[in-house]
C-alpha cells in the first residue's frame, strides 16, 4: 500500500466542563515524650508561613495520635504544644500524589518550668494546586458535561479532553486499546480488556470519569493506550437522601441520505427516555445505597453506503441500514457496615439488562444501480444480562491512610442472541437463522496494602482471576442457505491470571518519582468443535513483567517537567478469537482467529506543565511501539465477491504524537478548555495468512498517516444558577488497517438551570447541532477496494429534570 501523509488543519473548537477538582490530603502523626510514652491532648496547629493564617487544628487522642483532613497541597509549618513541654515547630510539605501524609513520630522535651505561651510561626505558601498536578490521572464530573447530559456514557466521553470516539470505540491519543473500568474494576458490562456496552449505559448513573494515560503497576496490565475509570454514583450523607431525574429526547430529526430502492424506511424522530433514581440511607454504623437507571432508545444505529470495486471491473453498490430499539436497565445496590473505627465491610451488587432489537435492510445493486442483485433483510433479537456481586473488607490501621483492602468479585454475563435472515436473490429466496448462547463467569480475588510515608507511599498487592466463557452457535439453514453450517457448534474459552505488584511513590518539594512492577502469569485455552473445517483448539501462556516509571521535577510553583515509561499488553478478547462467522453484513463477513496472540506495547512520554493563577497548560510528547499489532485484515477468496474480515497479528506498529491541554478561567462567568492532539500512526509492512474460509495470503507495504484532533470547551456561569456549554470537536483524517478514515466535525450545545432553591435542575441540549458527523472510509485490499459513508444517527435533542432530596 502506498504511504499516505495527511495534514491536520488547526481548527478552533469550543467546549466546556470542569477539568479538575481540588485535591485534598489527610495529615496524621503521633506525639510521644522522650520516654516513648504517648502524649494525649497535645495541641496541633497547621499554619501558612506567609501570613500566619490558621489552616487546621486538632488535639491528640489517648494514644498520642492526631489527624487533620481536607488539607490542600502546599508548604506549612506544624506546631505542637502542650503544658509542661517545649513547643516544637517543623516544616511540612504536602504534595498532590498521595491522599494521606504520615508525619514521622514527634518527640517533645519536658520543660524545666511551666511555660504556657505558644509562639506564632509563619511560612511561605506556594500557589494552590489542583488535581491537574496529578499528571497520571485527570478527573471529570459527568454533571458538568451539560451538552451531553441525558445520553449514554459513550456520548458523555466524546466531549472530554484527550478522548475521541471512532466507530463506537473510545480512543486515547488515536489508539482504541483502552481498558474500561467501573468503580476501579473490569466488568462484563464494559468488557474484560475490550469495550462493550458504553453506548447503552446511561450517563445518569455515573458520577465521574477518570482518564489515566500512564497507569501504574497496581492496575491490570492490559490496555496500552491507557485506562478510563467510570465511577458510579454513591452517597453517604446521614439519614434519607437521594436524587431522581427524568429526561427525554429525539434523534434522527430528518433523513440525511435517502435509502436505495425497495427497502423499508429508515428511523426518523427516534425517541429517547431515561428515568433515574438514587437513594441512600445512613444511620450509625450502616450505610445503604441504591442506584437505578433505565435508558430506552430508538436509534438509526447504522446507515452505511458502500461501493465495492473489484480488479475484474465488477462494481457493487450497497446500503446497510439498521433500525435499533434498545432498553438498558442498570441497578446498583449495597450496604456499608462500619464495624468499628478501623474495620468496614461492604457488600454490593450490580444488575444490568440490555435488550436490543435490530431490523435491518441491505440491498445490493450493480454499478449504475439499474439492477438489484440481492436484498438481505434481518431481525436481530439480543438480550445481554449481567450480574455482579462484590464483597470487600477494609482495615484501617491507626495511621491515617494505612490500609489493607480485601475484595472478591463474581460476575455472570449471558449473551443470548438470535438472528433471522431473509435472502432475496433474482431467482431464489431463502430464510436462515442462528442462535448464539454464551455464559461468561468471572471470579476475581484481590488483596491490596497501602502504607503512607512522610514523602509518599508504598502500594503492593496480589490479584487472581479465573474466567470461563462457554459458547454455543446453532445455525438453522433454510432453503438456498448462505450460512456456513459447518462453522457452528460449541467453543470454550478459559482464562487464568494470577498477578502480583509493588509500587513506590516519592514526593518532596522538588521531585516526584514513581517506580512499580507488575508480574503477571496468563494461561489462555480455547477449545473448539473438533469437526470445525478450519480452526482447531489453541491457546498460549506467558509470564511477563510490566514495569512503570515516572520522574518529575518541579522547577518552581509554575513549571514542572516529567517523564513516564510503562509496558503493557493487549490480550485478544474472546470475541476476537471467536470462530463463528458473523453475518451482520451479508457480504463482509467478520470472523475471529484462535491463533491470535497478545500485543505487547512499550510507551514513553515527556511532559511539561505550566501553572498560573487562573489556569494551566500541559503538553506531552509521547511514543508507543507495539509488537504483534492486533488488527482486522479483509480479503476475498477465489470465485466469490464475499469479503472476509479476520483478526490477525500484523507485526510492528508505532504511535508518536504531541498533546496539549490549556485550561483557563477568564472570569467568574467564562472559562474554557482547549485540547489538541497531533500524532503519527505507522504500521510496518507485513504478511499474514488468513485460513477462513480457505487459505489466502495478504501482504501490505508500510502504511502511515499524520492525524489528530482538536477540542475546545467553553463554559458559562451566569447569574441565578444558569450555566451553558458549547462544544465543538474536529477529528482529522487517520490511517486504519488497509486504508484511511476521513475527517469529521461536530458541535454540541447545552444549558442548565438550577431551580427550587438549587435542589432541582433542568437542562436542554443538542448533540451534533449541524448534523456533520459522517464516517467516511476508503479500504484497499488484494483484488478489491471499497469506499463507505455511514450516515448513522448523531443528532439528538434532549430535555431533562432532576431533583435532590
Amino acid at each position: 500500500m502506498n504511504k499516505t501523509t495527511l495534514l491536520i488543519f488547526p481548527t478552533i473548537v469550543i467546549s466546556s466542563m470542569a477539568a479538575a477538582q481540588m485535591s485534598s490530603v489527610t495529615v496524621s502523626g503521633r506525639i510521644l515524650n522522650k520516654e516513648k510514652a504517648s502524649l494525649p491532648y497535645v495541641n496541633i496547629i497547621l499554619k501558612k508561613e506567609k501570613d500566619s493564617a490558621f489552616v487546621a487544628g486538632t488535639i491528640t487522642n489517648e494514644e498520642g495520635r492526631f489527624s487533620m483532613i481536607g488539607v490542600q497541597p502546599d508548604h506549612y509549618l506544624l506546631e505542637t504544644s502542650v503544658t509542661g513541654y517545649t513547643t516544637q515547630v517543623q516544616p511540612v510539605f504536602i504534595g498532590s500524589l498521595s491522599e494521606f501524609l504520615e508525619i514521622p513520630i514527634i518527640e517533645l522535651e519536658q520543660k524545666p518550668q511551666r511555660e504556657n505561651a505558644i509562639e506564632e510561626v509563619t511560612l511561605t505558601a506556594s500557589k494552590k494546586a489542583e488535581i491537574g498536578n496529578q499528571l497520571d490521572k485527570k478527573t471529570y464530573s459527568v454533571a458538568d458535561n451539560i451538552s451531553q447530559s441525558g445520553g449514554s456514557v459513550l456520548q458523555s466521553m466524546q466531549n472530554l479532553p484527550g478522548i475521541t470516539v471512532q466507530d463506537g470505540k473510545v480512543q486515547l491519543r488515536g489508539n482504541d486499546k483502552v481498558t474500561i473500568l467501573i468503580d476501579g474494576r473490569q466488568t462484563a458490562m464494559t468488557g474484560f480488556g475490550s469495550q462493550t456496552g458504553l453506548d447503552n449505559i446511561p450517563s445518569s448513573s455515573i458520577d465521574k470519569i477518570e482518564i489515566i494515560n500512564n497507569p501504574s503497576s497496581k492496575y491490570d496490565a492490559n490496555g496500552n493506550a491507557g485506562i478510563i475509570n467510570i465511577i458510579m454514583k454513591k452517597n453517604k450523607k446521614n439519614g434519607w437522601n437521594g436524587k431522581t431525574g427524568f429526561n427525554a429526547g429525539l434523534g434522527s430529526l430528518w433523513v440525511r441520505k435517502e435509502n436505495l430502492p425497495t427497502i423499508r424506511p429508515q428511523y426518523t424522530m427516534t425517541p429517547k427516555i431515561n428515568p433515574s433514581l438514587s437513594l441512600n440511607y445512613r444511620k450509625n454504623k450502616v450505610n445503604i445505597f441504591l442506584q437505578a437507571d433505565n435508558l430506552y432508545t430508538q436509534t438509526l444505529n447504522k446507515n452505511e453506503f458502500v461501493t465495492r470495486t473489484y480488479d475484474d471491473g465488477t462494481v457493487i453498490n450497497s446500503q446497510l441500514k439498521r433500525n435499533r430499539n434498545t432498553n438498558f436497565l442498570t441497578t446498583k445496590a449495597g450496604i456499608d457496615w462500619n464495624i468499628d473505627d478501623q474495620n468496614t465491610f461492604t457488600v454490593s451488587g450490580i444488575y444490568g439488562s440490555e435488550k436490543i432489537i435490530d431490523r435491518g435492510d441491505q440491498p445490493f445493486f450493480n454499478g449504475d444501480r439499474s439492477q438489484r442483485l440481492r436484498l438481505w433483510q434481518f431481525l436481530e433479537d439480543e438480550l445481554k444480562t449481567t450480574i455482579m456481586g462484590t464483597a470487600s473488607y477494609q482495615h484501617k490501621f491507626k495511621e491515617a491512610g494505612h490500609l489493607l483492602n480485601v475484595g472478591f468479585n463474581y460476575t455472570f454475563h449471558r449473551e443470548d442472541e438470535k438472528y433471522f435472515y431473509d435472502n432475496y436473490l433474482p431467482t431464489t429466496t431463502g430464510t436462515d437463522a442462528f442462535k448464539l448462547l454464551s455464559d461468561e463467569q468471572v471470579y476475581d480475588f484481590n488483596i491490596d496494602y497501602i502504607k503512607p510515608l512522610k514523602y509518599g507511599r508504598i502500594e503492593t498487592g496480589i490479584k487472581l482471576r479465573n474466567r470461563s466463557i462457554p459458547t454455543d452457535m446453532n445455525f438453522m439453514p433454510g432453503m438456498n442457505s448462505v450460512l456456513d453450517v459447518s462453522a457452528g457448534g460449541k467453543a470454550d474459552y478459559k482464562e487464568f491470571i494470577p498477578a502480583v505488584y509493588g509500587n513506590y511513590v516519592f514526593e518532596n518539594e522538588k521531585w516526584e518519582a514513581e517506580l512499580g512492577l507488575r508480574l503477571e502469569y496468563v494461561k489462555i485455552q480455547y477449545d473448539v468443535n473438533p469437526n470445525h473445517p478450519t480452526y482447531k483448539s489453541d491457546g498460549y501462556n506467558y509470564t511477563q513483567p510490566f514495569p512503570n516509571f515516572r520522574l518529575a521535577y518541579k522547577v518552581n510553583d509554575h513549571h514542572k517537567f516529567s517523564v513516564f515509561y510503562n509496558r503493557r499488553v493487549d490480550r485478544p478478547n474472546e470475541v476476537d478469537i471467536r470462530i463463528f462467522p458473523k453475518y451482520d453484513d451479508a457480504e463482509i463477513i467478520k470472523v475471529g482467529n484462535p491463533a491470535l496472540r497478545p500485543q505487547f506495547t512499550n510507551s514513553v512520554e515527556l511532559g511539561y506543565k505550566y501553572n498560573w493563577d487562573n489556569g494551566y497548560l500541559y503538553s506531552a510528547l509521547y511514543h508507543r511501539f507495539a509488537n504483534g499489532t492486533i488488527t482486522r485484515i479483509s480479503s476475498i477468496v477465489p470465485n466469490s465477491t464475499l469479503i472476509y474480515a479476520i483478526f490477525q497479528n500484523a507485526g510492528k506498529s508505532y504511535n508518536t504524537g504531541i498533546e496539549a491541554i490549556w485550561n483557563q478561567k477568564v472570569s467568574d462567568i467564562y472559562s474554557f478548555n482547549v485540547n489538541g492532539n497531533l500524532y503519527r500512526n505507522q504500521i510496518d509492512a507485513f504478511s499474514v495468512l488468513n485460513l477462513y474460509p480457505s487459505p489466502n495470503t495478504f501482504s501490505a507495504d508500510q502504511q502511515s498517516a499524520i492525524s489528530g484532533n482538536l477540542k475546545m470547551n467553553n463554559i458559562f456561569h451566569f447569574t441565578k444558577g444558569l450555566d451553558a456549554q458549547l462544544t465543538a470537536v474536529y477529528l482529522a483524517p487517520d490511517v486504519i488497517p488497509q486504508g484511511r478514515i476521513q475527517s469529521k466535525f461536530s458541535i454540541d450545545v447545552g444549558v442548565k438551570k438550577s431551580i427550587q432553591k438549587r435542589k432541582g435542575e433542568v437542562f436542554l441540549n443538542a448533540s451534533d447541532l449541524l448534523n456533520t458527523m459522517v464516517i467516511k472510509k476508503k479500504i484497499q485490499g488484494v483484488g478489491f477496494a471499497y469506499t463507505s459513508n455511514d450516515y448513522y444517527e448523531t443528532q439528538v435533542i434532549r430535555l431533562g429534570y432532576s431533583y435532590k432530596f
Side-chain angles (χ1 to χ4, degrees):
M1 182 169 293
N2 293 330
K3 183 176 179 178
T4 305
T5 301
L6 305 171
L7 297 179
I8 177 175
F9 296 93
T11 305
I12 295 297
V13 279
I14 304 173
S15 145
S16 67
M17 70 200 50
Q21 301 172 349
M22 184 68 67
S23 59
S24 62
V25 178
T26 297
V27 181
S28 61
R30 191 180 185 193
I31 311 298
L32 306 177
N33 61 20
K34 287 297 182 179
E35 286 73 37
K36 311 299 183 183
S38 300
L39 287 179
Y41 311 116
V42 176
N43 295 301
I44 310 295
I45 298 176
L46 197 65
K47 294 182 178 181
K48 287 193 173 184
E49 186 179 56
K50 184 176 181 179
D51 54 8
S52 298
F54 175 85
V55 175
T58 186
I59 61 173
T60 58
N61 63 15
E62 294 292 339
E63 296 181 343
R65 298 190 179 278
F66 68 90
S67 180
M68 292 178 286
I69 64 174
V71 181
Q72 301 301 327
D74 212 327
H75 294 78
Y76 299 94
L77 287 184
L78 184 72
E79 180 182 288
T80 55
S81 64
V82 66
T83 301
Y85 288 83
T86 302
T87 298
Q88 185 170 320
V89 178
Q90 68 179 64
V92 174
F93 169 72
I94 299 177
S96 58
L97 297 185
S98 299
E99 297 179 18
F100 300 93
L101 175 65
E102 176 71 10
I103 304 295
I105 290 175
I106 299 173
E107 294 184 359
L108 297 185
E109 291 187 359
Q110 203 163 13
K111 289 182 180 181
Q113 58 183 11
R114 297 175 61 92
E115 296 181 12
N116 297 322
I118 300 177
E119 298 177 359
E120 290 192 359
V121 294
T122 60
L123 76 101
T124 302
S126 63
K127 197 169 298 300
K128 67 180 183 179
E130 71 282 304
I131 202 168
N133 280 333
Q134 299 179 1
L135 301 182
D136 63 331
K137 182 188 298 184
K138 305 176 186 71
T139 305
Y140 301 95
S141 170
V142 172
D144 293 326
N145 193 3
I146 308 170
S147 64
Q148 287 292 349
S149 294
S152 68
V153 172
L154 183 67
Q155 290 163 339
S156 288
M157 286 183 180
Q158 66 187 9
N159 285 347
L160 299 183
I163 292 181
T164 55
V165 177
Q166 294 274 26
D167 280 355
K169 279 196 168 185
V170 172
Q171 293 184 346
L172 291 175
R173 298 173 173 175
N175 190 323
D176 65 4
K177 301 300 182 184
V178 180
T179 296
I180 307 296
L181 308 179
I182 293 182
D183 290 336
R185 303 181 183 92
Q186 292 185 357
T187 75
M189 292 175 66
T190 55
F192 287 88
S194 64
Q195 299 183 30
T196 59
L198 292 177
D199 200 26
N200 296 316
I201 299 176
S203 63
S204 56
S205 64
I206 306 303
D207 181 23
K208 294 179 293 186
I209 295 175
E210 296 178 339
I211 301 173
I212 307 170
N213 290 110
N214 296 281
S216 71
S217 63
K218 68 180 179 181
Y219 296 99
D220 288 343
N222 56 300
N224 76 71
I227 291 173
I228 295 177
N229 185 24
I230 299 169
I231 301 175
M232 300 188 75
K233 291 179 178 177
K234 180 181 176 181
N235 210 336
K236 288 189 176 182
K237 294 181 180 179
N238 287 323
W240 281 103
N241 54 87
K243 184 177 182 179
T244 184
F246 181 85
N247 64 77
L250 287 176
S252 295
L253 303 181
W254 57 76
V255 174
R256 290 203 279 178
K257 186 172 177 64
E258 296 290 342
N259 285 339
L260 293 179
T262 72
I263 68 171
R264 296 169 293 187
Q266 58 185 263
Y267 267 171
T268 56
M269 303 298 288
T270 53
K272 328 284 179 184
I273 301 173
N274 176 208
S276 62
L277 174 66
S278 176
L279 288 175
N280 184 82
Y281 176 74
R282 183 179 183 183
K283 186 176 182 181
N284 299 326
K285 295 183 177 183
V286 175
N287 180 68
I288 303 172
F289 53 91
L290 169 69
Q291 175 74 36
D293 298 79
N294 193 84
L295 178 61
Y296 172 79
T297 64
Q298 292 184 12
T299 310
L300 181 58
N301 176 261
K302 198 171 190 66
N303 194 25
E304 184 178 20
F305 292 79
V306 175
T307 299
R308 278 180 283 154
T309 305
Y310 295 85
D311 287 358
D312 63 3
T314 301
V315 177
I316 298 177
N317 292 295
S318 66
Q319 175 192 0
L320 176 56
K321 181 218 70 186
R322 190 158 60 215
N323 293 333
R324 172 167 289 184
N325 290 23
T326 304
N327 192 84
F328 193 101
L329 170 66
T330 177
T331 303
K332 180 180 180 180
I335 181 170
D336 299 317
W337 177 31
N338 298 309
I339 302 171
D340 52 37
D341 291 340
Q342 293 179 275
N343 298 281
T344 302
F345 183 70
T346 299
V347 178
S348 64
I350 295 178
Y351 172 80
S353 175
E354 181 181 5
K355 177 70 172 179
I356 299 174
I357 299 291
D358 280 341
R359 294 176 177 86
D361 298 78
Q362 192 173 20
F364 298 85
F365 287 82
N366 61 356
D368 61 6
R369 301 182 184 178
S370 61
Q371 179 185 3
R372 193 182 81 182
L373 307 175
R374 181 183 186 184
L375 174 61
W376 180 268
Q377 291 184 327
F378 64 87
L379 169 67
E380 177 189 8
D381 185 348
E382 184 174 10
L383 177 62
K384 296 180 180 180
T385 305
T386 303
I387 301 172
M388 188 173 83
T390 300
S392 61
Y393 165 75
Q394 182 179 83
H395 174 71
K396 298 178 181 178
F397 294 89
K398 293 181 179 180
E399 303 92 342
H402 189 187
L403 304 173
L404 175 67
N405 295 313
V406 181
F408 175 77
N409 302 287
Y410 169 75
T411 300
F412 173 81
H413 178 73
R414 167 166 286 184
E415 182 181 353
D416 187 350
E417 183 178 2
K418 295 182 285 289
Y419 265 79
F420 304 91
Y421 307 94
D422 290 319
N423 185 33
Y424 300 95
L425 295 169
T427 58
T428 62
T429 300
T431 298
D432 294 327
F434 76 70
K435 177 179 173 61
L436 173 70
L437 183 64
S438 173
D439 285 342
E440 178 177 8
Q441 295 191 76
V442 186
Y443 300 87
D444 280 325
F445 175 75
N446 64 278
I447 300 176
D448 299 282
Y449 174 78
I450 304 171
K451 169 69 174 176
L453 306 171
K454 181 180 181 181
Y455 295 108
R457 67 183 182 274
I458 295 174
E459 303 168 323
T460 187
I462 60 174
K463 183 171 183 178
L464 180 66
R465 168 173 294 163
N466 190 51
R467 181 178 178 219
S468 64
I469 311 176
T471 307
D472 188 6
M473 171 69 84
N474 182 19
F475 286 118
M476 294 168 278
M479 294 292 294
N480 307 302
S481 175
V482 297
L483 300 179
D484 184 358
V485 178
S486 64
K490 294 184 178 181
D492 194 1
Y493 174 91
K494 297 177 182 178
E495 175 183 288
F496 177 67
I497 307 178
V500 59
Y501 75 90
N503 200 49
Y504 171 64
V505 178
F506 170 84
E507 180 181 22
N508 65 19
E509 297 183 14
K510 288 293 185 181
W511 292 95
E512 296 176 4
E514 183 175 41
L515 181 64
L517 178 67
R518 188 179 190 90
L519 187 64
E520 184 178 81
Y521 171 76
V522 172
K523 182 179 180 181
I524 304 295
Q525 180 63 36
Y526 188 61
D527 296 323
V528 306
N529 177 3
N531 297 320
H532 195 282
T534 303
Y535 293 125
K536 305 301 179 185
S537 297
D538 210 331
Y540 62 87
N541 64 81
Y542 66 77
T543 301
Q544 291 279 344
F546 297 96
N548 69 279
F549 171 75
R550 177 165 75 90
L551 182 67
Y553 177 69
K554 294 172 278 188
V555 180
N556 52 39
D557 292 340
H558 300 288
H559 303 278
K560 184 177 185 179
F561 295 89
S562 59
V563 58
F564 299 85
Y565 165 78
N566 63 32
R567 181 176 188 263
R568 299 186 68 77
V569 63
D570 288 284
R571 296 182 295 270
N573 201 32
E574 186 267 341
V575 296
D576 300 337
I577 66 176
R578 189 176 283 180
I579 60 175
F580 314 122
K582 190 173 178 61
Y583 293 95
D584 54 357
D585 186 300
E587 297 193 0
I588 302 179
I589 313 300
K590 297 178 181 178
V591 188
N593 178 9
L596 203 60
R597 292 298 182 259
Q599 167 185 311
F600 293 93
T601 303
N602 290 275
S603 302
V604 292
E605 177 179 332
L606 299 175
Y608 165 70
K609 185 168 185 182
Y610 174 51
N611 287 297
W612 57 91
D613 284 342
N614 294 310
Y616 66 87
L617 173 67
Y618 176 66
S619 58
L621 178 66
Y622 58 89
H623 177 67
R624 302 188 189 102
F625 46 101
N627 288 314
T629 304
I630 297 174
T631 187
R632 276 196 188 273
I633 300 299
S634 297
S635 61
I636 58 175
V637 296
N639 304 318
S640 173
T641 59
L642 297 183
I643 296 174
Y644 292 88
I646 300 175
F647 276 113
Q648 292 282 6
N649 293 109
K652 294 183 178 181
S653 63
Y654 308 88
N655 173 238
T656 305
I658 183 170
E659 181 182 41
I661 300 175
W662 175 19
N663 193 76
Q664 180 67 52
K665 179 182 178 181
V666 178
S667 67
D668 291 338
I669 295 177
Y670 170 62
S671 61
F672 67 84
N673 174 299
V674 182
N675 172 224
N677 188 20
L678 179 67
Y679 57 87
R680 180 179 183 271
N681 281 339
Q682 175 181 314
I683 301 176
D684 283 355
F686 66 92
S687 180
V688 294
L689 176 65
N690 283 347
L691 295 178
Y692 186 85
S694 60
N696 62 93
T697 300
F698 174 81
S699 299
D701 296 332
Q702 183 188 95
Q703 182 181 359
S704 65
I706 295 175
S707 185
N709 53 76
L710 195 60
K711 208 179 280 190
M712 179 179 171
N713 301 324
N714 284 359
I715 191 162
F716 302 88
H717 294 292
F718 300 111
T719 58
K720 298 182 180 179
L722 178 64
D723 297 330
Q725 179 182 353
L726 177 62
T727 307
V729 179
Y730 172 73
L731 306 180
D734 201 359
V735 64
I736 55 176
Q738 297 178 269
R740 67 179 187 177
I741 188 169
Q742 300 300 312
S743 63
K744 296 185 292 182
F745 176 76
S746 69
I747 294 178
D748 303 334
V749 296
V751 294
K752 69 177 181 180
K753 177 74 167 65
S754 295
I755 58 177
Q756 297 170 300
K757 298 180 179 179
R758 294 190 174 273
K759 289 188 174 182
E761 184 177 272
V762 293
F763 73 83
L764 174 67
N765 61 33
S767 61
D768 194 16
L769 189 64
L770 304 180
N771 226 0
T772 52
M773 290 290 278
V774 179
I775 300 176
K776 299 180 179 181
K777 299 178 185 177
K778 292 184 178 180
I779 303 295
Q780 179 64 57
V782 176
F784 74 97
Y786 72 84
T787 61
S788 75
N789 296 325
D790 191 355
Y791 297 87
Y792 70 110
E793 176 185 303
T794 58
Q795 188 179 68
V796 180
I797 296 176
R798 296 184 182 88
L799 176 66
Y801 166 78
S802 62
Y803 180 77
K804 297 178 182 178
F805 56 89

